[in-house]
């Protein structure tokens, strides 16, 4: 322990972390920059803040205040002590509906304030796209704005009073007037009135520099307002009184389509007289192909409000009539509006990949010009990018003239970095020529502060330095930001990464086979830190359970980045810090779909475990649950299922088995089926053959109109054969024959038009998707198993026969892990392309089949792997056709294969289940069907809630049986 750490621990009641993990998690924000801190402190209160400042001032150690870590200019990173307010100082202290104000702490996430204000019909006006994880302190530090700034302004417009601790320990209460200002500030202002009145551009999104013009006497000497946007360089915020606004009772969203972004930009300012709540713009490059938007090449999202839904819609339709558009859409349904807003909010992540997969980065993320000049500015901006051979897709707050853009800078090579500098300098001049601001929302930080003299001139920048000296004469707070800034092309986070690709097992096809590029996907927008999740989202269950940054997708990506850098995390793949952070990753794959840049932490975890344990002894769970298919096959071969179940019911034996197997003692050992699914299928087939022989019918004709290969996954085969039996029942009712691999030979029918199966001429062996080996990082074993599977499946791969997989996790493994791990075997991609879910098979192969009419509500959970990889649209349509009503919850059940069984994971596993799944089941009415297609989900429901969840196939099969019994055919 260093003397600094010891002294901080002595005086602080909050959390202190000077360890490698704590430091690694805060080396970066959402910018291009990286700085390694000495330590991290999560203060309990203002006294803790003052104590840290006193210790650091005595030792000359810089202090950086950090909120959600989503800053895009580098101002949330530092080389000294980082103050993390999200852990303790994160409350709404009071809310006054009459005065329309709230008192908040700096670590409060914006969505928590909105939730507190909503019952009173109020809200906080500024709403950045990161509203689910950004903090009020960070918003005040950067003077954040958001999409509704055309109606409600910036954060500075919503601040009434601020409680601040200065670097020298003064506790100030800032508001309007000089009463709470630091000594010397009034004299500084009164000596420079002429400069303050002429040196600041007048536009709605001027965020760059210090807002010293707010201190003019004609503006009420608003010291609190002038503090906003200071990026933590003047003082440390400990409390804020903020203004709330009345929320519209109803909203409508007009989506206006234009040929291109320039046309949309030209039109934006003309819509402002209609009093919209938003005028947001984005182009087609940032919109998923499946997005339901009116036809066009760019869109404006114009939100209107009203006292009634009809009034809000009428205002939206008036906007449409006033606009010259290619096409338009007005949406009043709240769910439909949320879906459209998610497209816009995710742009900060999706923009980091060009349509061809090329990486793109911030740096010129949010400059702003007067709205009326936006169209002309964008044309010149495009021209400047083209002149430098750069690409990017602008989007953002068109109504305020503020543009976000990620550009495909090469920040890895000296030549690319030099071009980054030249472009930055020329773009700064272009913005200034249009009367704009270098920053229109996110602050200057290291990205733009060096260029402030081009915007303000040397005299005003010198005034900024003098103001900094009044507030922080020791330059203790966030040095290198705003005044005396670090050069914009230093401290780049990519400079520490290896230049050559690291040898890895997976193919990483979307990242050119480069693991470093895969890790670079995480740009830090931190959607994984969202705790209030509605709808089907899954990411990130472990963070929602623990609230710890190291258990978020971003936190794990940061540790992997530092592992590759080798500067802070020095033992590479053997790193205990990375291993421990990944330990609570459920491998749910939620980030693969929910993260805007599709970070796939489940794959990264498998890759890490593969290298970490290479040549070393693994945890017991890797040998037991990680090789579950082997153990269960032996149990089935020896017909020892009953004996295993009997022994598992004996407490002493079960305890010993759990201890030896690395299983948490709170878990129950699931029962093994008395008869495997394959044996049932073979027995049933033999009975059918005998009956056909008696009837004199041909046993192997061309069969029904469709045939599928039903995959006997380990869970269906050995633990839940009733699912497979039900699936066969439903598929046959729909006219689809199911056969099992690899007990088949194939030929063509007599007319040569279709594939024919002969299950009596069997090939021997067992297919396996390799899931349990992948999830535990036993990738050599996984490859062996997968290649054997491909050998056994070779005849199928010469046909177009679909493969139906009932267990979502196994289907996802075949669809993604198989081709990505065996990227050198073309057969893997062919098999992956054949994989269908149960509902997809029915929809594609029996489109005219009508399922039984069940007419009952359902609850449960869409399997996380299905959500992330396979999609559930076909399942939704099938449920609707069967009269199964209600939405399934999102999130993860928390069991996630071996995760929830492993020793030490039980509490997190249960917390994940309590997040969404268990509350939805407990609140269900009598007669509600509990759907859970995944074996893990069903096991979790049974062990934690005593509820039997069922696969959709089981529910439909039960309906078929009831229908036939009713009709007298049973």
């Amino acid at each position: 322990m260093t003397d600094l750490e010891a002294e901080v621990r002595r005086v602080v009641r909050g959390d202190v972390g000077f360890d490698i993990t704590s430091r690694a998690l805060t080396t970066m924000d959402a910018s291009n920059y990286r700085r390694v801190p000495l330590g991290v402190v999560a203060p309990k209160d203002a006294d803790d803040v003052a104590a840290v400042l006193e210790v650091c001032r005595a030792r000359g150690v810089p202090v950086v205040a950090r909120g959600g870590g989503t800053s895009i200019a580098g101002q949330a990173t530092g080389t000294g002590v980082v103050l993390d307010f999200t852990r303790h100082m994160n409350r709404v202290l009071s809310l006054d509906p009459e005065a329309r104000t709230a008192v908040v702490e700096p670590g409060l996430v914006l969505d928590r304030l909105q939730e507190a204000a909503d019952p009173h019909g109020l809200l906080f006006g500024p709403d950045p796209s990161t509203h689910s994880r950004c903090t009020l302190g960070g918003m005040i530090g950067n003077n954040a704005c958001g999409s509704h700034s055309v109606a409600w302004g910036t954060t500075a417009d919503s601040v009434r009073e601020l409680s601040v601790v200065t670097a020298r320990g003064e506790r100030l209460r800032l508001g309007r007037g000089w009463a709470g200002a630091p000594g010397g500030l009034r004299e500084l202002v009164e000596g420079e009135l002429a400069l303050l009145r002429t040196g600041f551009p007048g536009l709605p999104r001027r965020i760059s520099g210090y807002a010293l013009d707010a201190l003019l006497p004609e503006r009420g000497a608003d010291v609190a307002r002038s503090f906003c946007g200071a990026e933590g360089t003047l003082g440390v915020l400990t409390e804020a009184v903020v203004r709330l606004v009345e929320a519209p009772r109803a909203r409508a969203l007009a989506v206006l389509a234009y040929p291109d972004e320039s046309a949309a930009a030209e039109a934006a300012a003309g819509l402002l007289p209609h009093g919209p709540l938003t005028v947001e713009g984005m182009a087609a490059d940032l919109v998923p192909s499946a997005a339901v938007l009116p036809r066009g090449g760019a869109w404006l999202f114009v939100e209107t409000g009203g006292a009634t839904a009809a009034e809000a819609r009428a205002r939206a339709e008036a906007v449409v009539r006033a606009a010259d558009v290619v096409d338009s859409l007005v949406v009043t349904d709240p769910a439909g509006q949320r879906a459209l807003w998610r497209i816009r909010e995710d742009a900060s992540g999706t923009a980091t990949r060009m349509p061809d997969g090329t990486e793109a980065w911030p740096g010129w993320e949010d400059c702003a010009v007067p709205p009326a000049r936006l169209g002309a500015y964008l044309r010149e901006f495009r021209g400047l990018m083209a002149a430098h051979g750069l690409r990017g897709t602008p989007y953002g707050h068109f109504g305020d003239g503020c543009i976000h853009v990620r550009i495909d800078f090469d920040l890895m090579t000296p030549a690319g970095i030099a071009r980054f500098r030249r472009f930055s300098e020329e773009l700064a001049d272009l913005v200034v020529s249009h009367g704009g601001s270098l920053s229109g929302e996110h602050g200057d930080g290291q990205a733009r502060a060096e260029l402030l003299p081009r915007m303000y001139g040397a005299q005003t920048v010198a005034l900024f330095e003098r103001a900094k000296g009044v507030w922080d004469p020791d330059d203790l707070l966030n040095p290198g930001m705003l005044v005396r800034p670090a050069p914009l092309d230093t401290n780049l986070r990519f400079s520490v990464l290896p230049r050559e690709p690291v040898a890895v097992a997976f193919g990483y096809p979307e990242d050119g086979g480069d693991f470093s590029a895969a890790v670079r996907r995480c740009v830090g927008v931190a959607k994984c830190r969202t705790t209030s999740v509605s709808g089907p989202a899954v990411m990130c269950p472990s963070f929602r359970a623990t609230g710890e940054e190291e258990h978020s997708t971003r936190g794990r990506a940061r540790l992997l980045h530092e592992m590759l850098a080798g500067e802070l995390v020095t033992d590479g793949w053997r790193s205990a810090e990375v291993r421990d952070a990944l330990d609570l990753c459920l491998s749910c794959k939620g980030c693969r779909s929910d993260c805007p840049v599709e970070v796939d932490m489940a794959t990264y975890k498998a890759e890490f475990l593969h290298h970490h344990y290479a040549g070393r002894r693994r945890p017991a769970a890797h040998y037991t649950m990680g090789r579950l298919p082997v153990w269960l096959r032996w149990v089935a071969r020896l017909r020892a299922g009953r004996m295993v179940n009997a022994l598992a019911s004996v407490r002493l034996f079960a305890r010993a088995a759990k201890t030896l197997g690395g299983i948490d003692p709170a878990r129950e050992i699931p029962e093994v089926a008395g008869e495997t699914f394959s044996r049932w299928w073979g027995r049933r087939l033999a009975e059918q053959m005998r009956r056909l022989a008696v009837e004199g019918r041909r046993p192997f004709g061309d069969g029904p109109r469709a045939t599928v290969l039903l995959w006997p996954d380990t869970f269906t085969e050995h633990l839940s054969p009733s699912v497979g039996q039900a699936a066969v029942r439903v598929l046959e009712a729909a006219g689809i024959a199911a056969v099992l691999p690899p007990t088949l030979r194939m030929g063509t029918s007599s007319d040569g038009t279709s594939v024919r199966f002969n299950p009596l001429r069997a090939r021997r062996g067992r297919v396996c998707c390799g899931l349990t080996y992948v999830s535990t990082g036993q990738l050599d074993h996984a490859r062996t198993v997968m290649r054997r599977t491909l050998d056994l499946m070779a005849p199928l791969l010469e046909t177009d026969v679909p493969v139906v997989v009932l267990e979502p996790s196994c289907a996802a493994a075949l669809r993604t892990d198989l081709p990505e791990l065996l990227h050198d075997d073309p057969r893997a991609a062919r098999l992956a392309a054949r994989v269908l879910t149960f509902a997809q098979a029915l929809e594609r192969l029996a489109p005219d089949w009508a399922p039984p009419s069940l007419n009952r509500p359902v609850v449960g959970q869409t399997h996380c792997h299905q959500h992330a990889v396979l999609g559930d649209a076909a399942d939704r349509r099938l449920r609707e056709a069967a009269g199964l009503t209600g939405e399934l919850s999102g999130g993860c059940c928390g069991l996630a294969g071996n995760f929830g069984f492993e020793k030490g994971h039980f509490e997190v596993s249960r917390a994940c289940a309590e997040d969404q799944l268990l509350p939805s089941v407990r609140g269900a009415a009598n007669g509600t069907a509990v759907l859970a297609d995944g074996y893990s989900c069903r096991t979790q429901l049974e062990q934690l809630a005593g509820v039997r969840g069922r696969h959709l196939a089981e529910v439909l099969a039960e309906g078929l049986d009831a229908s036939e019994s009713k009709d007298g055919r049973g």
Side-chain angles (χ1 to χ4, degrees):
M1 186 184 299
T2 65
D3 292 343
L4 173 63
E5 179 185 359
E7 184 65 13
V8 170
R9 288 187 181 279
R10 187 183 68 81
V11 299
V12 167
R13 292 179 296 110
D15 304 316
V16 178
F18 278 63
D19 56 286
I20 290 174
T21 297
S22 298
R23 297 165 64 202
L25 293 172
T26 51
T27 56
M28 293 173 279
D29 48 18
S31 71
N32 297 328
Y33 300 99
R34 170 184 177 270
R35 296 191 292 176
V36 180
L38 296 175
V40 181
V41 175
K44 286 267 190 179
D45 51 26
D47 290 341
D48 269 2
V49 172
V52 171
L53 289 171
E54 183 178 355
V55 170
C56 290
R57 184 177 65 255
R59 297 173 179 271
V61 174
V63 176
V64 175
R66 181 179 171 104
T70 56
S71 295
I72 295 179
Q75 61 268 63
T77 67
T79 58
V81 170
V82 172
L83 297 178
D84 174 11
F85 291 98
T86 61
R87 185 169 305 194
H88 300 302
M89 297 179 68
N90 56 11
R91 299 169 296 167
V92 177
L93 298 176
S94 64
L95 194 149
D96 186 340
E98 297 299 321
R100 294 184 180 176
T101 59
V103 182
V104 302
E105 292 181 315
L108 176 70
V109 170
L110 174 57
D111 271 4
R112 303 290 83 75
L113 175 58
Q114 304 292 37
E115 290 166 3
D118 182 65
H120 307 287
L122 302 173
L123 55 80
F124 187 72
D127 59 340
S129 60
T130 55
H131 55 84
S132 62
R133 59 269 192 198
C134 71
T135 66
L136 269 294
M139 292 178 68
I140 291 168
N142 293 344
N143 195 9
C145 307
S147 59
H148 289 84
S149 59
V150 293
W152 297 315
T154 71
T155 298
D157 295 309
S158 297
V159 165
R160 289 293 172 263
E161 294 182 355
L162 301 175
S163 295
V164 170
V165 181
T166 71
R168 291 194 171 178
E170 282 188 279
R171 301 197 187 194
L172 307 178
R173 185 76 170 180
L174 311 180
R176 292 176 69 88
W178 297 109
L185 185 62
R186 180 173 185 173
E187 292 75 13
L188 175 71
V189 169
E190 291 178 346
E192 297 288 353
L193 292 177
L195 181 59
L196 292 175
R197 286 175 175 138
T198 60
F200 292 80
L203 70 161
R205 286 295 192 101
R206 173 177 52 81
I207 305 300
S208 284
Y210 291 135
L212 298 181
D213 55 327
L215 298 173
L216 286 166
E218 59 266 32
R219 297 184 182 178
D222 195 337
V223 182
R225 185 183 184 93
S226 75
F227 188 88
C228 295
E231 302 180 21
T233 62
L234 302 182
V236 179
L237 176 72
T238 59
E239 187 178 292
V241 180
V242 296
R243 175 178 70 99
L244 305 175
V245 297
E246 184 177 357
R249 294 178 181 270
R251 304 186 194 215
L253 180 60
V255 183
L256 311 179
Y258 295 87
D260 53 43
E261 72 190 24
S262 293
E266 294 281 5
L271 301 177
L272 297 178
H274 294 272
L277 301 177
T278 70
V279 182
E280 298 289 289
M282 62 190 306
D285 285 352
L286 298 176
V287 178
S289 58
V292 182
L293 290 171
R295 58 185 177 86
W299 298 269
L300 292 179
F301 287 42
V302 184
E303 186 179 76
T304 57
T308 65
E311 183 180 342
R313 184 180 186 91
R315 289 177 176 172
E317 290 173 343
V319 169
V320 172
R321 288 193 298 272
D324 182 14
V325 295
V326 173
D327 196 4
S328 64
L329 173 70
V330 174
V331 181
T332 55
D333 169 50
Q337 292 183 56
R338 284 195 299 271
L340 288 167
W341 277 122
R342 275 195 295 271
I343 297 170
R344 164 62 186 86
E345 291 174 356
D346 283 350
S348 61
T350 56
T352 62
R353 283 295 186 277
M354 305 298 293
D356 63 359
T358 305
E359 295 171 301
W361 304 108
W364 284 94
E365 176 67 15
D366 66 318
C367 42
V369 299
R373 304 193 64 166
L374 181 60
Y377 164 73
L378 272 180
R379 285 191 293 273
E380 293 184 50
F381 173 74
R382 283 288 193 185
L384 183 62
M385 282 200 298
H388 284 270
L390 297 170
R391 297 175 299 159
T393 302
Y395 67 97
H397 315 292
F398 282 24
D400 270 335
C402 180
I403 294 301
H404 298 313
V405 64
R406 301 289 171 103
I407 301 174
D408 64 340
F409 297 121
D410 167 18
L411 300 177
M412 303 286 287
T413 67
I417 294 170
R419 180 170 59 168
F420 168 61
R421 168 170 282 283
R422 291 193 303 272
F423 175 83
S424 298
E425 292 169 345
E426 292 179 31
L427 180 55
D429 291 338
L430 175 62
V431 172
V432 172
S433 73
H434 283 272
S437 174
L438 304 185
S439 172
E441 179 163 24
H442 296 305
D444 299 304
Q446 188 176 344
R448 289 175 289 269
E450 182 189 354
L451 303 172
L452 285 176
R454 295 171 183 257
M455 175 181 170
Y456 283 109
Q459 190 176 3
T460 301
V461 169
L463 183 60
F464 291 161
E465 294 185 14
R466 291 166 58 198
K468 164 76 167 172
V470 168
W471 285 90
D472 179 20
D474 305 306
D475 200 17
L476 188 76
L477 301 177
N478 214 0
M481 300 295 141
L482 283 180
V483 300
R484 296 179 291 277
L488 61 86
D489 51 359
T490 60
N491 301 324
L492 293 172
R493 64 180 176 137
F494 315 102
S495 62
V496 295
L497 294 178
R499 289 293 174 262
E500 297 298 325
V502 178
V504 286
F506 283 96
Y508 303 100
E510 301 301 322
D511 298 293
D514 186 352
F515 183 68
S516 293
V519 171
R520 288 200 303 268
R521 280 183 173 270
C522 180
V523 293
V525 295
K527 190 177 179 182
C528 51
R529 284 178 55 93
T530 301
T531 55
S532 57
V533 177
S534 59
V538 172
M539 179 182 72
C540 174
S542 53
F543 174 77
R544 293 208 299 274
T546 70
E548 299 288 346
E549 171 78 10
E550 70 178 293
H551 300 144
S552 69
T553 305
R554 181 180 73 172
R556 294 175 178 123
R558 291 290 179 260
L559 282 161
L560 287 168
H561 184 109
E562 295 302 327
M563 180 194 80
L564 292 171
E567 183 181 291
L568 185 57
V569 177
T570 57
D571 42 2
W573 295 111
R574 300 298 199 196
S575 167
E577 293 83 10
V578 178
R579 179 201 63 206
D580 292 346
L582 288 170
D583 180 57
L584 292 187
C585 171
L586 286 84
S587 297
C588 68
K589 288 188 179 288
C591 46
R592 185 171 180 132
S593 60
D594 295 349
C595 171
V597 288
E598 299 175 356
V599 168
D600 186 357
M601 194 53 63
T603 296
Y604 305 170
K605 177 182 179 179
E607 185 76 63
F608 175 83
L609 294 177
H610 168 68
H611 296 279
H612 185 76
Y613 289 111
R616 304 168 78 186
R617 182 179 177 183
R618 288 174 166 271
H622 289 198
Y623 299 107
T624 54
M625 290 174 283
R627 300 184 184 181
L628 187 64
V630 174
W631 301 117
L632 289 177
R633 279 201 297 271
W634 275 107
V635 170
R637 188 172 299 170
L638 298 173
R639 297 182 183 269
R642 290 184 179 178
M643 181 183 70
V644 169
N645 293 337
L647 289 173
S649 66
V650 177
R651 182 176 301 176
L652 183 63
F653 180 85
R655 184 184 304 142
K658 293 176 190 177
T659 300
L660 292 172
I663 299 172
D664 196 285
R667 284 292 175 190
E668 299 172 21
I669 298 176
E671 286 193 359
V672 179
E675 180 182 48
T676 67
F677 173 53
S678 292
R679 284 197 182 124
W680 171 86
W681 186 79
R683 179 169 53 79
R684 179 176 180 270
L685 178 64
E687 292 172 356
Q688 289 176 331
M689 303 310 297
R690 285 195 296 271
R691 187 169 65 251
L692 289 171
V694 170
E695 296 173 358
R697 295 165 56 191
R698 183 182 177 188
F700 301 116
D702 290 340
R705 63 176 176 265
T707 304
V708 298
L709 190 130
L710 190 59
W711 189 270
D713 64 84
T714 295
F715 306 101
T716 301
E717 174 75 356
H718 299 283
L719 301 170
S720 191
S722 61
V723 171
Q725 296 166 17
V728 171
R729 170 80 172 91
V730 176
L731 290 169
E732 290 181 349
I736 302 171
V739 297
L740 269 62
T743 56
L744 54 90
R745 286 285 188 180
M746 280 171 280
T748 56
S749 59
S750 56
D751 60 4
T753 59
S754 62
V755 174
R756 182 175 58 186
F757 295 84
N758 186 340
L760 297 186
R761 297 177 61 197
R763 303 183 71 199
R764 298 303 171 193
R766 287 293 178 188
V767 296
C768 180
C769 68
L771 170 66
T772 61
Y773 304 99
V774 171
S775 63
T776 52
Q778 300 180 76
L779 301 186
D780 290 334
H781 282 282
R783 276 191 290 241
T784 299
V785 167
M786 290 173 173
R787 289 196 194 280
R788 183 173 66 239
T789 293
L790 291 176
D791 292 340
L792 292 166
M793 296 288 288
L796 175 81
L797 300 179
E798 302 303 320
T799 74
D800 58 357
V801 176
V803 177
V804 176
V805 187
L806 301 172
E807 173 62 41
S809 58
C810 294
L814 289 171
R815 187 77 69 80
T816 59
D817 295 328
L818 173 67
E820 291 173 12
L821 195 54
L822 296 186
H823 47 90
D824 57 344
D825 191 333
R827 300 177 302 170
R830 290 204 296 271
L831 177 54
R834 305 288 173 79
V835 172
L836 296 177
T837 66
F838 174 70
Q840 288 169 346
L842 288 170
E843 185 171 77
R844 296 185 192 183
L845 302 178
D848 299 326
W849 178 70
S853 183
L854 301 175
N855 298 321
R856 60 188 300 194
V858 295
V859 295
Q861 188 170 60
T862 300
H863 193 284
C864 49
H865 286 192
Q866 178 153 4
H867 165 81
V869 174
L870 308 163
D872 68 339
D875 294 73
R876 290 172 177 271
R877 290 188 287 268
L878 179 57
R879 294 199 303 267
E880 183 180 357
L884 295 171
T885 58
E887 290 293 320
L888 304 188
S889 72
C892 178
C893 73
L895 197 61
N898 59 290
F899 175 85
F901 275 97
E902 289 186 15
K903 185 177 180 179
H905 290 176
F906 179 75
E907 292 303 327
V908 170
S909 175
R910 179 164 59 184
C912 292
E914 291 288 358
D915 184 43
Q916 295 188 62
L917 175 60
L918 295 186
S920 72
V921 171
R922 293 191 190 107
N926 291 335
T928 301
V930 179
L931 289 179
D933 281 2
Y935 176 77
S936 292
C937 304
R938 296 193 296 273
T939 302
Q940 188 80 312
L941 283 167
E942 182 179 350
Q943 294 199 359
L944 296 187
V947 172
R948 180 173 177 251
R950 290 182 293 170
H951 194 286
L952 179 58
E954 293 181 287
V955 175
L956 293 177
E958 181 182 280
L960 287 172
D961 293 339
S963 178
E964 291 190 0
S965 176
K966 182 177 180 180
D967 293 343
R969 295 176 301 184

